[in-house]
Amino acid sequence: MSHVSNKKIANLLFEIADLLELKGVQFKPRAYRRAAQNISTLSKDIKRFYEEKKLQDIEGVGESIAEKLEEIIETGDLEYLNDLRKDFPEGLQEMMNIQGLGPKSLMKFYEELGLDSVDHLEEAAKNGEIRKLEGFGKTSEKNILENLERYRKYKKRFILGEILPIAKNLEKQLSNHEDVKRVNLAGSIRRRKETIGDVDILAVSSNPKKIMDYFTNLPEIERVVSKGITKSTVIAQENLHIDLRVIEEESFGSALQYFTGSKEHNIELRTLASDKEWKLSEYGLIDMKTTKTIAGKEEKEIYNSLGLDYIVPELRENRGEIQAAKSGDLPDLIKKGDIVGDLHVHTNWSDGSQSIDEIVQTAQNMGYKYLAICDHAKSLQIADGLNDSEIKKQMSEISKLDKIYKSITVFSGIEANIDKKGKLDVRKNILKDLDIVIGSIHSGFKLSEKEMTNRIVNAMHNDYITLLGHPTGRLLNQRESYNLDLNKIFEIAEKLELVLELNAYPQRLDLNDINCFNSRDYNFLISINTDAHTKDGLKNMDLGVSTARRGWLDKGKVLNTKSLEDLKKHLNL
Ligand SMILES: [Zn+2]
Ligand SMILES: [Zn+2]
């Protein structure tokens, strides 16, 4: 059997849908998209459905799609898709992502003008070739060019959690090289933005040529786009572009500052500089009158010279950080080391892959003082949710284990589902015995703002709920937040002293940075939880902490920075 991830399988089905659409086939593309969508959001490995011969239990998967899934899982390949691909050049599929261009127009461009790539399309629109086709005119060309520009701009955003390990690994390999004196990630990944366009790395070396040779030959690099002495661009997996720049040591700080951004933050800084008749650029902070360099080697010197406290990368979004740095009011941000435990993890009792024992062991090794096992409750059938008697059984298992572990406390919890009316799917006489009750929404996303807000507010009024899981429901690159009056939720959380979650699962990061920023106006606590489904997933706490930092949170706002004793006090345990 081959190792194909849910995401990869979903992408193959999406591709089939695109190709069928180009062929002019009706209805089928929608069926494939629906199945792909559902597979990409499955919380357990599709192989489990395959092994249990239950592929058709996945929503949108009928007999015909199930057969194709079997072939992909067994062989890693799909004959049907290979045949479809033969009919069209690759570029045509990419062109389908440009807004306003349907398959009919694309086929016309292809058949009559031979346009088989985004670049060729652009050329033809600029040269006035498209207006010669029946049914098209100057306006169509103008629209195509506008949409094409927008497409290029937003083409591909990567999820931080998927890219950060790759980028850190490259950074580490560079820093291990004997000729590399300094190296640092820059750009949005250094600011820990939730999605990333490309990766920037800066280095200092006395032998740039050797470093560029080394870098462009690393096994992770799939293709070299350009290679020079001071800058090389390469492509790593899944079309991720990475730029490496080798910088003079004297200007490493200013280059790092410049390439870290954000653009808006840098504009403000440059204004501050020019107020003093200085010039700030990637080469340094320079006095215009004397042409002397004021700062450049270290970032900190640049900020300090401009009369500012040092601003950490996560805050550089022009959300008031410059003013705060001027007046000495920057927040004392939460740090990774402040986290004492994790209050939302899954095990193989529902859709996680580890036993309770294994995940507790991992958490203990990370130095955590507490961990809450919160598997899914019964109405989430796709995740093997627990019914009331299974919850009881699990509770007794957990209390047995808790006695064995000396340095970590294991809490019994549940991730209950909030139904459309705001009720939880676990009976009260079970809920009252659990330590941690998370209420989450996993279905019925399409309600009006009023209905959705009421639904959540109702759930928050449940006597036993401890915290509201992934409050806005968004999934990066997949699903927007549901319609929701978040300020109202914040108000109620303050009133009821209920905890809201910052879910650190890579696709979620929910609450997001801006939600966290706004939450500071309300007096309630946030718990940063990984929602780990594997033991590796516990490491995603970093992503949650970065998001909290981007949202200006200090440790006082975060529940799971509390000691075990204080946590128990806060939750009346
Ligand atoms: Zn959940
Ligand atoms: Zn969960």
Side-chain angles (χ1 to χ4, degrees), residues 344 376 415 440 442 470 508 531:
H344 181 175
H376 290 288
E415 182 174 17
S440 299
H442 291 116
H470 40 77
R508 291 195 183 273
D531 199 356

Side-chain angles (χ1 to χ4, degrees), residues 119-134:
D119 290 343
H120 287 159
L121 174 69
E122 183 173 24
E123 247 174 61
K126 280 186 178 156
N127 296 339
E129 285 174 46
I130 287 173
R131 71 183 73 162
K132 292 179 197 151
L133 296 177
E134 202 196 315

Side-chain angles (χ1 to χ4, degrees), residues 501-549:
E501 182 175 66
L502 191 181
N503 188 300
Y505 200 77
Q507 276 74 14
R508 291 195 183 273
L509 303 183
D510 173 11
L511 304 168
N512 69 16
D513 54 353
I514 293 176
N515 302 152
C516 287
F517 187 83
N518 295 332
S519 79
R520 297 171 312 142
D521 293 340
Y522 301 85
N523 191 18
F524 64 85
L525 293 185
I526 286 175
S527 183
I528 308 179
N529 303 328
T530 61
D531 199 356
H533 285 67
T534 61
K535 52 184 179 179
D536 265 357
L538 287 173
K539 293 186 197 143
N540 291 327
M541 186 58 81
D542 283 9
L543 300 174
V545 172
S546 305
T547 304
R549 286 168 66 84

Side-chain angles (χ1 to χ4, degrees), residues 440-458:
S440 299
I441 288 176
H442 291 116
S443 62
F445 305 124
K446 290 208 160 54
L447 296 182
S448 69
E449 180 180 309
K450 202 172 157 207
E451 287 169 316
M452 187 57 96
T453 308
N454 285 340
R455 171 188 187 181
I456 295 175
V457 168
N458 283 344

